[in-house]
Structure formats: C-alpha cells, structure tokens
Amino acid sequence: MPELPEVETVVRGLRPHLEGRKLVRVLQRRPDLRFPLPENFAERLQGRRVLGIDRRAKYILVRLDGGETLLCHLGMSGRLVLAPNNGEPLEPHDHVVFETETGAAIRFNDARRFGIMDLVASDALASHKLLCHLGPEPLGNRFDGKTLAASLKDRRTSIKAALLDQKVVAGLGNIYACEALFFAGLSPRRRAYTVQGGRAERLAWAVRDVLLRAIAAGGSSLRDYVQADGELGYFQHHWAVYDREAQACPDCTCDLRAGGGIRRLVQSARSTFYCPTRQR
Ligand SMILES: [Zn+2]
C-alpha cells in the first residue's frame, strides 16, 4: 500500500510531465474505481490545462484551469505509470489514461480498485468529504511539538492509535507511526495524553524526520522519481523496527537469545513493532 512518502514521490514525479501541460485526451475504461467516477469524467478533463500538483495527506491534487481539481488516491494497489509515447498497448488494469500535448501518457493502473478519483471545485476543496476532517500535514508549518501536544492532551487512547487518527496528523500510516515512535523513544502503549512537552517535541520531530528521510531515499533511488519502467514513486524501504519482529534493535545491544530485540503487538487490529528497551 502506498504510504505518504511514496505519494509525495509520485507528486514530484508527475510535476515535470503534467504541470503546465494540456490534457488532450482522457480515456476512461470503466465506470468506477472504489466509488463511481464523476459524471462526464473524461469530457470534463479533456482540454484542461494542469496548473499545479500538490499532495494533501495521501491524496494527489491536480489543479486544472477552469476551476476544478482532480483528486486522486492510490488506494491499496494503485500505480501511476508514465509512458513517454502513448502508443504502447494498455494493460487490463489500466483504468484511466491521461494523454498530454507532448504525446506522453500517464496511466492509472489499479488491480484491486480501492483507488479513488473525483473532480472537485477548487475553491471547495477544503470542505470535500474526504479532506474536511484531516488534521495538520506532518511536513507542514502547522505541525510541531506544541500543536501535537495540544491535540493529544485529552486523548486516553494509546499514542500509537492517536498517531493513526487523521485529525491528529494527516496521512501518517502504520509503518511511519511505528518508526516515529521508535526514534522518539516512546512506547506505543503509552497513553496519548502523557505525550506533552519534550516528549511531544521529540515525537513531532521524529514524524517529520522519518517521512523526510523516506522521501529523500525514494528520490535518490529513482531517476527524478520515475523508474525505468515508467512507474512513479515506489521504492525499497529500510525500516528500523517495522516488520522486524525478533530481529536485533538497530539502537541497542540486546541479547536475542535472552528475548531481546524488536517485538510485535497488535493495537486497533494493526501490527505495532517496537523496542521495549529504547521505547518507554
Ligand atoms: Zn532497542
């Protein structure tokens, strides 16, 4: 499943190929993805020029002239694939194809069809049902130790569950919540309201840091964010704790035979990975 850093690399990969370009042809090959596609979807996109591309949480926002924005979520298996020339045969799960005036095409491929596309009036974007409940962007100016402490102070859930709440921080996801708690040295079981002051500062810093490092790794592993096969934005991760149950902690010299190392527990039906020595 694409996490926030992948979505950010997709956005950066799309920019040089879409920004300022006109969508000369849009091919819609099925009526729905996770939800029905908007009425006259292809017709409304065709002939529009792309003004800019941004990200909000894990949503890709393609701002168009004419006052509408294309909102796109990759869901579980959605991929955007760049074809420099739109001549190659389509694959069965290529559901939407955007062709620009240069002859390049961006294909939205999604085998499981949990992806989302919608067309929204740009000036009403903030009140869209998928965006209106989102809290601060983890990489934005409104997210820091103070704002994080304020939104945690009345929460009696675990800090891990709080980090997955989109109102606390938008688009973080399970993997990066685990990683951020590790680098902040906070137990995933700790009650959220106890994360105040220096702990909140450390956690806000760790959230930004794990995301920025993943984005930097993604950018450096891809030639300007596009892979050789045209796929945008996926890359190999190296995690400190995520999916590393029973392996040695990268920070401690723990004895694996004595039961040390990374542990896994289940919180709100999601796996949490953590080091019980480092994280308190
Ligand atoms: Zn450790």
Side-chain angles (χ1 to χ4, degrees):
M1 177 155 72
E3 296 271 352
L4 189 148
E6 277 112 349
V7 179
E8 180 62 27
T9 60
V10 168
V11 165
R12 294 180 187 189
L14 280 174
R15 274 192 189 121
H17 302 282
L18 273 186
E19 248 174 26
R21 304 264 193 255
K22 191 183 237 180
L23 303 176
V24 291
R25 217 161 62 95
V26 177
L27 180 62
Q28 177 188 344
R29 300 179 75 212
R30 50 174 305 119
D32 58 350
L33 297 168
R34 180 168 178 178
F35 305 118
L37 288 163
E39 265 182 68
N40 306 318
F41 183 58
E43 291 83 350
R44 282 159 72 187
L45 289 168
Q46 231 149 245
R48 298 267 70 103
R49 195 171 288 280
V50 175
L51 301 177
I53 306 170
D54 296 297
R55 177 187 58 71
R56 175 75 170 116
K58 296 207 294 184
Y59 295 93
I60 299 167
L61 304 172
V62 182
R63 214 153 28 83
L64 304 164
D65 68 356
E68 285 191 306
T69 292
L70 169 66
L71 176 151
C72 174
H73 192 285
L74 300 173
M76 305 288 285
S77 58
R79 299 152 58 228
L80 285 162
V81 180
L82 173 75
N85 298 295
N86 191 21
E88 292 146 56
L90 294 175
E91 289 177 27
H93 299 295
D94 286 341
H95 302 311
V96 185
V97 182
F98 306 91
E99 190 181 326
T100 73
E101 60 205 318
T102 65
I106 313 283
R107 297 172 179 186
F108 181 70
N109 181 291
D110 188 0
R112 297 179 64 183
R113 275 190 276 115
F114 278 102
I116 298 168
M117 283 197 193
D118 199 3
L119 266 173
V120 191
S122 300
D123 56 11
L125 208 52
S127 56
H128 188 274
K129 64 180 186 299
L130 296 170
L131 306 182
C132 63
H133 300 298
L134 294 174
E137 274 297 312
L139 302 178
N141 296 331
R142 287 176 47 231
F143 182 73
D144 59 21
K146 272 200 183 66
T147 57
L148 179 60
S151 70
L152 294 177
K153 74 174 176 20
D154 295 321
R155 288 174 190 265
R156 312 201 65 86
T157 62
S158 68
I159 184 62
K160 168 72 188 314
L163 281 182
L164 294 180
D165 184 332
Q166 301 297 298
K167 283 183 200 136
V168 172
V169 55
L172 187 60
N174 192 46
I175 294 172
Y176 292 97
C178 293
E179 294 287 295
L181 286 169
F182 172 78
F183 287 105
L186 295 172
S187 167
R189 290 195 237 235
R190 174 182 277 284
R191 296 299 103 190
Y193 68 84
T194 69
V195 179
Q196 296 291 310
R199 288 184 184 128
E201 295 289 342
R202 249 161 45 223
L203 183 55
W205 179 86
V207 164
R208 292 175 76 102
D209 188 59
V210 293
L211 294 173
L212 288 171
R213 279 191 288 123
I215 292 165
S220 62
S221 70
L222 308 173
R223 191 171 49 86
D224 61 40
Y225 302 98
V226 184
Q227 293 180 35
D229 62 359
E231 181 156 345
L232 295 156
Y234 282 74
F235 46 87
Q236 279 299 314
H237 290 278
H238 300 283
W239 292 305
V241 287
Y242 185 79
D243 207 18
R244 296 192 62 227
E245 185 180 12
Q247 295 182 39
C249 168
D251 190 57
C252 312
T253 47
C254 27
D255 187 351
L256 290 177
R257 284 163 306 181
I262 307 301
R263 292 205 193 145
R264 185 178 81 94
L265 67 93
V266 176
Q267 292 177 294
S268 348
R270 315 287 299 273
S271 283
T272 299
F273 298 87
Y274 71 109
C275 167
T277 307
R278 180 190 162 104
Q279 295 176 246
R280 297 303 172 101

